[in-house]
Amino acid sequence: MTHFSSRRIVAIQLFVAILFISSCNQPPDPEEQIENILELLELPANQWVKYHHADNGDWWKKGHAGMAYDSKRGSLLIFGSDTHGKDWDNTVHEFSPAQRRWVQHGENSPQTSYRVDAAGIPVSGIENTQPWAMHTYDGIEYDPVSDSLFAIAAPDHNPIGKTISPSGKNNPIWKYALETQKWQALQSNATQKSNFFAAATAFDTARKALMICSHGLWSLKSGTQTALKIFSSPDCLHSSMAYDSWHKDLYLFGTYRPSNLIWKLDRDILTDEPVEWLKLAPGGDSPPPFTTTPVAFDQQAGVFLFVADKPGKDTNSASTFVYNPTKNQYYKLANVHLPKVGMNFMMTWAQEYKVFFLVTGGWDNGITVWALRLDLKMLEANSTTLSHS
């Protein structure tokens, strides 16, 4: 069997796997979808490829929004708004790589529907209850156990809160069931009040828990209703949290004041309880100090990928780096060019396609989906960085 034939069989298998769980009512022709999947499987190594672009219209990539990967449907899920009275986006937007198109889940709530319910929770919507439009940063995460999208955020920067009292008194964690496309506000623990504005999150697959960094480290176990504070944390404002599934570790990338240091949560080897946050200074190809950076973990290669804007007000490009947690070392991808990403929490690694997806854009240039297939052996072989780890 030829290499092309075997890849085509894999593409057909992936197409069949997502055929019956797609959110798109009028999907493209099956052959077109198979060709899209084949393109992803055959991507050139260590290069960003512009996979899809949509000119700005009624919706575009929001800097304050977050993204998660729906591993059941093989799709990207975005939720969040730039708010400040100009952006009222409070619906989920889904991108199917196989179908190469965006789908919006429902409609944005009319501003007249914004209110605070009897429990003191800011809600909106007429037929269905929805969260307020809000900044979500890195607070968007998918839970594969419950097949739900979580929004860990607060509408602090939505000015409508100044006219609706008592807004912000009870900002819950929001759970969005993908099967029914319905939102549910999880009740907060009265003894552990927390405002999860600008939280950083990651799903810990080993412990089956959503981990939240916001004035401490919180854990929301799958199937439960309440997040519990389990440890202290660094300041997570403008940070991105990512999970290393190889070593079962949590990492924080980026800080409010740009830095190229990384935080790692150290746990007791016997009890698995958190012990301390380690501040790491990796060797290798050091990136410029970064903040609000997109990052994701490659479960096949066991490394993180992230993008850092080049320093300087007049620069309009970004560089791509790999962080190897085993070696505590950075590698820069050579001759890899991207436009400046700015505030961005929209990168993921897709198990089905073995590629990274990155979403960029803005109100003036729409929304672009990039794809990259990492070949770590090729990167290390061509790197001038020598590791003595």
PDB file of all heavy atoms in Angstrom, residues 69 112 210 303 323:
ATOM      1  N   TYR A  69     -10.340  23.143  22.533  1.00  0.00           N
ATOM      2  CA  TYR A  69     -10.467  22.124  21.492  1.00  0.00           C
ATOM      3  C   TYR A  69     -11.450  21.060  21.928  1.00  0.00           C
ATOM      4  O   TYR A  69     -11.301  20.444  22.993  1.00  0.00           O
ATOM      5  CB  TYR A  69      -9.109  21.483  21.190  1.00  0.00           C
ATOM      6  CG  TYR A  69      -9.178  20.462  20.068  1.00  0.00           C
ATOM      7  CD1 TYR A  69      -9.450  20.871  18.770  1.00  0.00           C
ATOM      8  CD2 TYR A  69      -8.989  19.105  20.327  1.00  0.00           C
ATOM      9  CE1 TYR A  69      -9.525  19.944  17.737  1.00  0.00           C
ATOM     10  CE2 TYR A  69      -9.054  18.179  19.301  1.00  0.00           C
ATOM     11  CZ  TYR A  69      -9.331  18.602  18.017  1.00  0.00           C
ATOM     12  OH  TYR A  69      -9.411  17.686  16.985  1.00  0.00           O
ATOM     13  N   THR A 112     -31.214  44.487  25.870  1.00  0.00           N
ATOM     14  CA  THR A 112     -32.381  44.660  26.734  1.00  0.00           C
ATOM     15  C   THR A 112     -32.658  43.442  27.603  1.00  0.00           C
ATOM     16  O   THR A 112     -33.426  43.526  28.562  1.00  0.00           O
ATOM     17  CB  THR A 112     -33.630  44.958  25.880  1.00  0.00           C
ATOM     18  OG1 THR A 112     -33.778  43.918  24.889  1.00  0.00           O
ATOM     19  CG2 THR A 112     -33.503  46.307  25.187  1.00  0.00           C
ATOM     20  N   LEU A 210     -10.711  20.388  36.000  1.00  0.00           N
ATOM     21  CA  LEU A 210     -10.413  21.673  35.384  1.00  0.00           C
ATOM     22  C   LEU A 210      -9.617  22.485  36.391  1.00  0.00           C
ATOM     23  O   LEU A 210     -10.088  22.747  37.512  1.00  0.00           O
ATOM     24  CB  LEU A 210     -11.712  22.391  35.012  1.00  0.00           C
ATOM     25  CG  LEU A 210     -11.596  23.788  34.431  1.00  0.00           C
ATOM     26  CD1 LEU A 210     -10.842  23.764  33.108  1.00  0.00           C
ATOM     27  CD2 LEU A 210     -12.977  24.396  34.231  1.00  0.00           C
ATOM     28  N   VAL A 303       6.085  18.178  23.959  1.00  0.00           N
ATOM     29  CA  VAL A 303       6.639  19.529  24.090  1.00  0.00           C
ATOM     30  C   VAL A 303       5.523  20.559  23.921  1.00  0.00           C
ATOM     31  O   VAL A 303       4.442  20.264  23.404  1.00  0.00           O
ATOM     32  CB  VAL A 303       7.740  19.795  23.040  1.00  0.00           C
ATOM     33  CG1 VAL A 303       8.923  18.856  23.251  1.00  0.00           C
ATOM     34  CG2 VAL A 303       7.193  19.668  21.621  1.00  0.00           C
ATOM     35  N   TYR A 323       9.031  24.640  23.640  1.00  0.00           N
ATOM     36  CA  TYR A 323       9.619  24.451  24.959  1.00  0.00           C
ATOM     37  C   TYR A 323       9.575  22.968  25.295  1.00  0.00           C
ATOM     38  O   TYR A 323       8.499  22.363  25.318  1.00  0.00           O
ATOM     39  CB  TYR A 323       8.889  25.252  26.036  1.00  0.00           C
ATOM     40  CG  TYR A 323       9.356  24.898  27.436  1.00  0.00           C
ATOM     41  CD1 TYR A 323      10.666  25.152  27.832  1.00  0.00           C
ATOM     42  CD2 TYR A 323       8.498  24.271  28.338  1.00  0.00           C
ATOM     43  CE1 TYR A 323      11.114  24.806  29.101  1.00  0.00           C
ATOM     44  CE2 TYR A 323       8.934  23.921  29.612  1.00  0.00           C
ATOM     45  CZ  TYR A 323      10.247  24.191  29.985  1.00  0.00           C
ATOM     46  OH  TYR A 323      10.701  23.832  31.239  1.00  0.00           O
TER      47      TYR A 323
END
